[in-house]
Amino acid sequence: MEQQPVSASARRGGLPRVAWLIGPALVAGVAYLDPGNVASNMTAGAVYGYLLVWVVVLGNVMAWLIQYLSAKLGIVTGKSLPETLGARIGNKWGRRAYWLQAELVAMATDIAEVIGGAVALNLLFDIPLLWGGVITGTVSIVLLLVQSRRGPKTFEFVVIGLLVVIAVGFTFGVLVAPPDPAGVVAGLVPRFEDSGSVLLAASILGATIMPHAIYAHSALARDRFAPAAAPLGAADRTDPSLRPDLAELRGIPTSRLLRATRWDVSIAMIIAGTVNLCILLLAAANLAGVPGTDSLEGAYAALYAGLGPAVATLFAVGLLASGLASTSVGAYAGAEIMHGLLHIRVPLLARRLVTLVPALIILAVGFDPTLALVLSQVVLSFGIPFALIPLVALTAKRDVLGRFRSHPATTAAGIAASVFLIALNATLLWLVFTGA
């Protein structure tokens, strides 16, 4: 991928410099606003009202920490998380097993994004779902061409533009029909109602804290900041104590770059958290108890009938932008996973064509699109520990990050998040298989 040089204004400091540093987290943050998020949050609001507001808020807080750790790993080491794991997992079968689960997670992401785009095209233009999936996949290929030929900065501008469309599309309805403040406050109290609410909580977390976003963010930060102006030897690349910080070789003090990255992640997570919460609140305030609103198509019809065509159309446009933006980020993450763990680099476009197949098959056989989206997010939820535990462990090691390793309190917070997510998934399994 073409690397963008640091501009003179970036070296001098000031607002232009800060603006130049913003971007990777916003691109990774699109993964937090994919069609799976829409389906999970919309279903949660329509079925359980304000019950799971706390899950959205908690997930977003955990996501901030996780995405910052991912970006820090890429910036300081000059390697993505898959590359780092690929170098540290000595057993080739262990490395392949880890790749397989990560690849399945990436494929689940692809399914959610393509199906979401197809549903949006069907709602807006009455295009059959299968052809909508083909169109969504084709547009994602165009976005990947922009990424590979114009460099990361241009790609970021395109994705951030789609992010603006997503935000407007999904928040407008809440402004038109505000939620009940008392219901929102009550929803901040952690609790479940039944096994279905646990399933949706796991789905929301799987859609909020997405494994492929963890893999992708470390690579996006690496691509933007890590390449050094001077060549580094093999030993220098593996031992932080034997080389100066990569970012400093580009004229940017690493500590300042990490501060800017915290702002980048904060902006991205505020946007993603606000939009996700608005989706759930829109459904809780206007769709709770309305028959058929546990599907995207039913929710669109209910919004059209209850709030008018403007709100419904903007909702569908937001869903379409969500599918188009997130599918290219998902393809980027999948390619990075394969390259980092198997040392095989498959062209992004070729991989995009291959990963389109499962989503198109689901659309062709007539499987319920909303159910497919929700289940895909549950798969993502089970993939979280495999990405999160190594990330927390690696960023706490001196031999990986040197003096920029995580503070013990940060590591403790990462461990707490990992334990919570694993416990939630274990509870989900117990409830589902015991019929409780």
Side-chain angles (χ1 to χ4, degrees):
M1 182 179 297
E2 178 187 354
Q3 304 298 340
Q4 300 297 315
V6 181
S7 66
S9 61
R11 289 192 178 93
R12 286 193 301 268
L15 186 58
R17 175 178 187 154
V18 173
W20 182 87
L21 297 175
I22 299 298
L26 290 171
V27 174
V30 166
Y32 294 83
L33 296 171
D34 79 340
N37 290 82
V38 181
S40 297
N41 291 315
M42 186 66 69
T43 302
V47 176
Y48 292 102
Y50 301 101
L51 179 71
L52 299 179
V53 166
W54 69 273
V55 178
V56 177
V57 175
L58 179 62
N60 206 65
V61 172
M62 291 191 294
W64 185 97
L65 172 63
I66 293 164
Q67 292 307 129
Y68 172 67
L69 292 179
S70 176
K72 182 166 74 169
L73 180 70
I75 290 169
V76 178
T77 67
K79 292 183 178 180
S80 67
L81 177 59
E83 285 177 320
T84 304
L85 290 172
R88 298 177 76 90
I89 300 176
N91 184 285
K92 71 175 183 179
W93 291 108
R95 190 167 62 250
R96 290 174 181 175
Y98 188 94
W99 165 80
L100 181 60
Q101 64 80 26
E103 195 67 36
L104 289 174
V105 165
M107 289 180 66
T109 302
D110 285 333
I111 289 172
E113 292 155 353
V114 174
I115 289 178
V119 170
L121 288 170
N122 177 261
L123 295 176
L124 289 169
F125 308 110
D126 201 28
I127 296 174
L129 289 176
L130 178 58
W131 285 109
V134 172
I135 293 172
T136 301
T138 301
V139 174
S140 72
I141 290 173
V142 173
L143 291 177
L144 290 173
L145 284 173
V146 171
Q147 180 197 50
S148 61
R149 296 184 180 182
R150 301 297 299 274
K153 193 64 178 177
T154 302
F155 178 66
E156 287 170 11
F157 281 133
V158 174
V159 173
I160 291 171
L162 290 171
L163 180 62
V164 173
V165 177
I166 295 169
V168 173
F170 290 142
T171 58
F172 182 74
V174 174
L175 299 177
V176 174
D180 174 31
V184 176
V185 173
L188 293 173
V189 179
R191 65 193 189 281
F192 297 110
E193 187 173 297
D194 51 29
S195 60
S197 64
V198 178
L199 174 65
L200 276 172
S203 180
I204 290 171
L205 288 172
T208 303
I209 305 170
M210 305 186 76
H212 83 282
I214 299 174
Y215 300 126
H217 199 171
S218 61
L220 288 164
R222 173 206 63 195
D223 289 345
R224 174 77 89 83
F225 302 121
L232 298 176
D236 297 332
R237 291 186 181 276
T238 57
D239 186 353
S241 66
L242 298 180
R243 57 151 172 81
D245 296 305
L246 291 175
E248 289 177 353
L249 288 173
R250 299 201 68 185
I252 305 175
T254 303
S255 57
R256 184 172 298 177
L257 182 56
L258 291 176
R259 284 198 300 270
T261 299
R262 287 193 286 271
W263 278 104
D264 189 23
V265 174
S266 297
I267 293 170
M269 292 301 99
I270 288 172
I271 294 172
T274 300
V275 174
N276 279 319
L277 189 59
C278 284
I279 294 170
L280 188 149
L281 296 180
L282 177 65
N286 300 281
L287 305 180
V290 179
T293 54
D294 55 350
S295 70
L296 291 175
E297 297 89 342
Y300 172 83
L303 290 174
Y304 194 99
L307 301 180
V311 172
T313 300
L314 282 173
F315 171 81
V317 169
L319 180 62
L320 177 59
S322 169
L324 296 178
S326 56
T327 189
S328 56
V329 177
Y332 173 87
E336 183 62 36
I337 290 168
M338 179 173 287
H339 169 65
L341 292 166
L342 301 185
H343 310 300
I344 298 173
R345 188 174 291 282
V346 176
L348 279 174
L349 299 185
R351 190 185 186 284
R352 171 73 279 184
L353 291 174
V354 171
T355 54
L356 274 175
V357 173
L360 295 180
I361 290 175
I362 289 176
L363 292 172
V365 300
F367 193 84
D368 178 39
T370 303
L371 179 59
L373 287 173
V374 172
L375 292 178
S376 73
Q377 304 312 296
V378 175
V379 172
L380 294 180
S381 182
F382 282 99
I384 291 170
F386 293 99
L388 181 54
I389 293 175
L391 176 68
V392 174
L394 288 170
T395 51
K397 291 180 176 292
R398 178 181 288 275
D399 66 331
V400 177
L401 293 188
R403 63 189 176 95
F404 294 105
R405 70 189 188 282
S406 295
H407 187 277
T410 302
T411 301
I415 293 172
S418 303
V419 170
F420 172 78
L421 292 167
I422 293 171
L424 179 62
N425 289 328
T427 303
L428 171 64
L429 284 175
W430 183 79
L431 290 172
V432 169
F433 289 107
T434 62

